[in-house]
Amino acid sequence: MEEEEAGAGEDAGSQLMCRIERPVYDEAFLRTQLLHRRENTTTFRQRLAEKFQCTSSKAKAVALTFLPFLTWLPTYPVKKYLLSDVVSGLSTSVVQLPQGTFAVISLMIGGVAVREAPDHMFPVFSGNATNNSSVFDKEACENRRVQVAVVLTTLVGIIQFVFGLLRFGFVAIYLTEPLVRGFTTAAAVHVVVSQLKYLLGVKTKRFSGPFSVPYSVGAVFQEITGTNIPSLLLGLVCIVFLYVVKVLNERYKKKLPVPLPGEIIVVIVSTGVSYGMSLNKNYQVDVVNTIPTGLRPPAIPDFSLLPNMIPDAFAVAIVGFSMDISLAKTFALKHGYSVDGNQELIALGLSNVFGSFFQTFAITSSMSRSLVQESTGGKTQIAGLVASLIVLLVIVAIGFVFEPLPQTVLAAIIMVNLLGMFRQFRDIPVLWRTSKIELVIWLATFVASVLLGLDNGLLAAIALALLTVIYRTQSPKTSILGHVPNTGLYYDVDEYEEASEYEGIKIFSSNFSIYFANSDLYVNTLKEKTGVNPEKLKAAQKAREKQKKKSKESSPLTVAATYKDEAVIHEVLPQSSQVEEGVNGHLEDEHSETTSEVVVFLEPLSAVHSIILDWTTNSFIDSVGAKAIKQVIREYAAVDVRVVIASCNRSTLADLDMLQFFSEDLTPHLFFPTIHDAVLHCQHSRSSTDGAAKKLT
């Protein structure tokens, strides 16, 4: 083994230099001489004990997982954040009071409640002896539906909590940024459409499921002639005022200690105006009206209702988590922090299970409220705590204060705060220039979520995202690499003019792993890109052997050649003066013709003698891929073309060992740690063969 020397220095231009002198390595040498695996001295029992060992650091990590506020609350900057969080919490709470958190979840739960507790289950008979009619007991029906919703919420919480413990949050990685942004933009459309009737002051039917958005818009336009003008004018004034406040907050955010509380101002002023002018009574402006007060005592859910709701619980759990993680990732990307999907699942699960004992229904993130909290200066979870405390205070004691609040004002607040989501339409021209596939994901997610509903649209979007992964593996980028002189670097010869190929060597590179779905594609692309097809070469070889056989039978001059090495040409040609003395030179002409035939017979079938497969980007290989590579190596070997593999990572080599890839004819000598090692080996092997042939001649 030669001595290895590495040095780094600087040339006259202060550029770092790297000089390494070492032998050409192959995998067989690495395994036997250079690399030695560490011995695993721990037993399975020891590893299991270590896994479940309770230490202070593990206990702290678990505690922070379930109570993440402990990581930031001790260092909370009171002077810097408290005022902003309080203002944001107040603004969010007034928007939260009159409506449900997330319409899709509410509709899904409502559908289950109506299915499990239909009106006809609670009949009340009335009438005289000749004519009986039945109506349903509304109070009993509503109580039953509340129980259904509570049990469903409990089951949803259990599912989400168990998913969190099982680390199911990894599915969040399939919610790519284009998918999330398309989905949240579609959710913004759903929210805006749901607020149109409040802005216009019209009464319409509530729609859910596929095509609910077009149905809702159509219903609003059908009632457009019944628009309540005072509601519309009040809503438009609030929209203009809030938009101006948003612009001022954005322009002077560095000078303002806290953002201007536009939402609080609008709520206070509009509530006062509505109360003073009796807008509901005199102008038929819809207001919040009665807000139920007081909390129900905790009670154990009626689990006898559980069996029929298991599929619905899974659907609600997944949709709720998807909406939550989508919004979380949106704000995380905007503000530069990370989100743990498992922690979100655990938080949702615990909240739902605990809340169900107080007769709440399943929760998830609210887009409109989250945007209100962000745009009004909320910095931490203190803002959410303040909002929750205000809502609790209203429910317990002061709900009557907000009863005159016009619904159109709330619609205006929500619409203005959704403007940020609609700015995501700017993604379209950017993605058009940068990534057409991601543009398709964005548009398809948006359209599917708007038309099919957020739950069905999300499932369709995830399916499309997975299909794009398959498409990318079926549409790989492949190239033939060439050497950049004096660098040891190899790049695409079609892309860089400095890169040039070595004579007789093809270096094939692809950007995908080799497995059952694309192994055939890899092999076919290899043959096409290198221009060396072993099937065609095999056919040419057979044709040459057939022609050689015919020539051997017709001319004794070539008999010797069939028993000699291909490089031994001159020995088979008679050089005696007796033979050269032909009549009128005929024998000499025959001699020249036969020589040409022999040269043709002995020429190599292909100008390429070696193919190097660059596996730099190959992260794994399965049994189908391994068999395909075995087959292609042997096919090329049959036509005297050597195939070697370069830059294969250790995990892929471990896969090959497990798949029993190596054999007597396919040894680790075919694998090289770098492309340059493989090139030098191929050049040396060829020069050795040529040298041996010259000696024979």
Side-chain angles (χ1 to χ4, degrees):
M1 178 176 177
E2 297 181 12
E3 181 181 359
E4 180 176 320
E5 180 179 352
E10 296 187 5
D11 62 7
S14 73
Q15 185 178 11
L16 289 174
M17 301 295 292
C18 176
R19 297 183 179 90
I20 298 176
E21 183 179 352
R22 63 168 177 80
V24 172
Y25 292 148
D26 59 29
E27 181 61 23
F29 180 85
L30 294 179
R31 294 187 177 193
T32 58
Q33 303 293 329
L34 191 63
L35 298 177
H36 300 88
R37 291 190 178 276
R38 296 181 184 273
E39 293 185 4
N40 190 358
T41 58
T42 59
T43 64
F44 174 76
R45 182 177 180 180
Q46 290 174 327
R47 291 194 298 270
L48 195 64
E50 183 179 356
K51 180 75 174 178
F52 292 98
Q53 183 181 8
C54 183
T55 62
S56 58
S57 59
K58 286 186 178 181
K60 181 180 179 181
V62 171
L64 294 179
T65 298
F66 286 93
L67 302 171
F69 67 88
L70 293 176
T71 60
W72 57 266
L73 188 59
T75 58
Y76 179 77
V78 176
K79 293 183 179 180
K80 185 177 180 181
Y81 286 165
L82 183 60
L83 183 58
S84 296
D85 282 338
V86 170
V87 172
S88 176
L90 290 172
S91 303
T92 305
S93 63
V94 296
V95 181
Q96 178 67 36
L97 286 174
Q99 300 182 1
T101 300
F102 185 51
V104 174
I105 294 294
S106 301
L107 291 171
M108 293 175 72
I109 295 175
V112 176
V114 171
R115 186 193 71 206
E116 296 296 321
D119 296 344
H120 62 78
M121 286 183 61
F122 309 93
V124 175
F125 294 97
S126 63
N128 51 37
T130 59
N131 182 26
N132 286 337
S133 62
S134 64
V135 295
F136 72 97
D137 186 342
K138 185 176 181 180
E139 182 178 356
C141 181
E142 289 184 353
N143 288 335
R144 182 70 169 182
R145 289 174 179 175
V146 169
Q147 286 298 317
V148 170
V150 168
V151 173
L152 181 61
T153 298
T154 306
L155 186 55
V156 168
I158 293 172
I159 291 171
Q160 290 174 331
F161 182 74
V162 172
F163 277 1
L165 294 180
L166 296 177
R167 321 305 291 172
F168 189 75
F170 77 91
V171 298
I173 64 175
Y174 295 104
L175 301 177
T176 64
E177 183 180 354
L179 187 151
V180 168
R181 294 175 73 85
F183 178 73
T184 51
T185 306
V189 172
H190 277 270
V191 174
V192 168
V193 169
S194 70
Q195 299 301 311
L196 284 177
K197 62 181 182 181
Y198 299 115
L199 180 68
L200 300 176
V202 297
K203 301 289 191 298
T204 63
K205 180 182 177 182
R206 183 185 294 272
F207 296 91
S208 62
F211 303 104
S212 60
V213 167
Y215 288 151
S216 298
V217 173
V220 169
F221 277 101
Q222 284 181 354
E223 302 293 334
I224 196 75
T225 55
T227 299
N228 186 288
I229 300 302
S231 290
L232 178 60
L233 291 177
L234 180 59
L236 292 177
V237 169
C238 292
I239 287 175
V240 172
F241 175 79
L242 289 170
Y243 181 77
V244 171
V245 170
K246 297 294 181 188
V247 172
L248 293 176
N249 283 335
E250 182 65 25
R251 180 172 297 180
Y252 300 105
K253 61 182 178 181
K254 294 183 179 179
K255 298 181 180 180
L256 293 172
V258 293
L260 297 175
E263 287 78 9
I264 296 179
I265 295 172
V266 164
V267 168
I268 293 174
V269 173
S270 62
T271 302
V273 171
S274 175
Y275 178 78
M277 298 180 63
S278 299
L279 293 181
N280 178 247
K281 181 179 180 180
N282 296 332
Y283 300 97
Q284 291 73 51
V285 174
D286 291 333
V287 296
V288 172
N289 277 326
T290 304
I291 297 178
T293 58
L295 293 175
R296 296 194 177 192
I300 299 176
D302 184 2
F303 290 107
S304 64
L305 303 171
L306 198 62
N308 295 336
M309 291 183 283
I310 293 177
D312 302 291
F314 275 97
V316 173
I318 293 172
V319 172
F321 168 68
S322 300
M323 189 63 201
D324 176 85
I325 198 67
S326 296
L327 279 175
K329 292 183 74 171
T330 298
F331 290 116
L333 289 170
K334 184 176 181 180
H335 296 286
Y337 60 88
S338 60
V339 177
D340 185 352
N342 298 308
Q343 187 171 306
E344 295 292 315
L345 278 169
I346 291 173
L348 289 172
L350 289 176
S351 299
N352 284 326
V353 171
F354 181 78
S356 66
F357 288 89
F358 292 87
Q359 300 190 12
T360 65
F361 64 85
I363 66 165
T364 187
S365 298
S366 167
M367 172 176 289
S368 56
R369 281 72 171 178
S370 299
L371 289 169
V372 168
Q373 181 170 311
E374 183 211 25
S375 63
T376 53
K379 302 296 184 183
T380 68
Q381 290 172 314
I382 295 295
L385 177 63
V386 171
S388 300
L389 292 175
I390 296 297
V391 172
L392 179 63
L393 178 64
V394 170
I395 291 175
V396 172
I398 61 172
F400 66 92
V401 174
F402 295 94
E403 290 180 359
L405 177 61
Q407 293 275 17
T408 185
V409 174
L410 295 172
I413 293 174
I414 291 172
M415 288 181 174
V416 172
N417 282 282
L418 287 174
L419 288 176
M421 285 297 169
F422 288 112
R423 293 193 185 101
Q424 293 180 151
F425 279 113
R426 297 173 183 172
D427 295 347
I428 295 176
V430 175
L431 293 175
W432 174 261
R433 294 190 300 268
T434 57
S435 175
K436 301 295 191 300
I437 292 179
E438 290 185 320
L439 175 61
V440 170
I441 294 175
W442 198 106
L443 292 175
T445 303
F446 174 78
V447 173
S449 299
V450 168
L451 296 181
L452 303 179
L454 294 179
D455 48 353
N456 296 325
L458 180 63
L459 295 176
I462 293 175
L464 176 64
L466 295 177
L467 286 176
T468 61
V469 175
I470 298 174
Y471 170 77
R472 288 176 187 268
T473 63
Q474 297 299 310
S475 303
K477 178 177 174 55
T478 58
S479 59
I480 296 296
L481 304 184
H483 178 240
V484 179
N486 302 318
T487 64
L489 303 177
Y490 293 83
Y491 294 105
D492 188 349
V493 295
D494 293 331
E495 188 172 355
Y496 301 100
E497 60 183 21
E498 292 84 2
S500 59
E501 297 184 62
Y502 287 111
E503 183 179 356
I505 299 176
K506 291 286 185 180
I507 306 172
F508 177 74
S509 178
S510 65
N511 64 345
F512 62 96
S513 298
I514 307 169
Y515 63 108
F516 70 93
N518 61 12
S519 58
D520 289 340
L521 177 64
Y522 182 89
V523 172
N524 294 334
T525 308
L526 167 65
K527 295 174 182 178
E528 178 184 352
K529 201 76 175 179
T530 59
V532 184
N533 191 316
E535 289 87 357
K536 294 181 179 180
L537 293 179
K538 192 70 175 178
Q541 187 180 53
K542 290 181 179 179
R544 178 181 292 188
E545 290 175 353
K546 185 176 180 181
Q547 185 179 0
K548 184 186 294 186
K549 185 177 180 181
K550 290 182 179 179
S551 300
K552 180 181 68 173
E553 295 174 353
S554 61
S555 174
L557 296 176
T558 60
V559 172
T562 61
Y563 299 100
K564 300 285 186 178
D565 187 271
E566 286 185 351
V568 184
I569 298 175
H570 303 290
E571 290 186 2
V572 303
L573 301 178
Q575 301 293 330
S576 64
S577 58
Q578 182 178 358
V579 176
E580 291 178 354
E581 293 176 0
V583 179
N584 295 328
H586 292 297
L587 183 58
E588 184 177 354
D589 293 338
E590 185 178 339
H591 172 278
S592 300
E593 182 179 350
T594 306
T595 303
S596 301
E597 292 178 356
V598 173
V599 170
V600 171
F601 294 154
L602 302 182
E603 284 181 352
L605 293 170
S606 171
V608 176
H609 58 77
S610 300
I611 294 177
I612 300 172
L613 306 181
D614 175 22
W615 280 13
T616 303
T617 59
N618 190 350
S619 59
F620 72 94
I621 189 170
D622 67 358
S623 61
V624 178
K627 290 177 182 177
I629 296 301
K630 277 185 180 181
Q631 181 67 21
V632 80
I633 291 175
R634 287 168 176 158
E635 286 180 358
Y636 277 112
V639 291
D640 298 326
V641 177
R642 181 181 179 85
V643 177
V644 298
I645 298 170
S647 301
C648 180
N649 62 62
R650 308 308 302 177
S651 64
T652 303
L653 283 167
D655 291 340
L656 293 174
D657 286 329
M658 292 184 64
L659 295 169
Q660 299 180 350
F661 177 86
F662 298 106
S663 59
E664 292 184 1
D665 59 329
L666 298 176
T667 67
H669 291 284
L670 297 176
F671 286 76
F672 297 87
T674 69
I675 297 177
H676 203 56
D677 283 285
V679 168
L680 294 176
H681 170 80
C682 293
Q683 289 177 329
H684 177 72
S685 299
R686 187 63 179 178
S687 62
S688 300
T689 303
D690 292 343
K694 289 180 180 178
K695 290 180 180 179
L696 290 174
T697 60

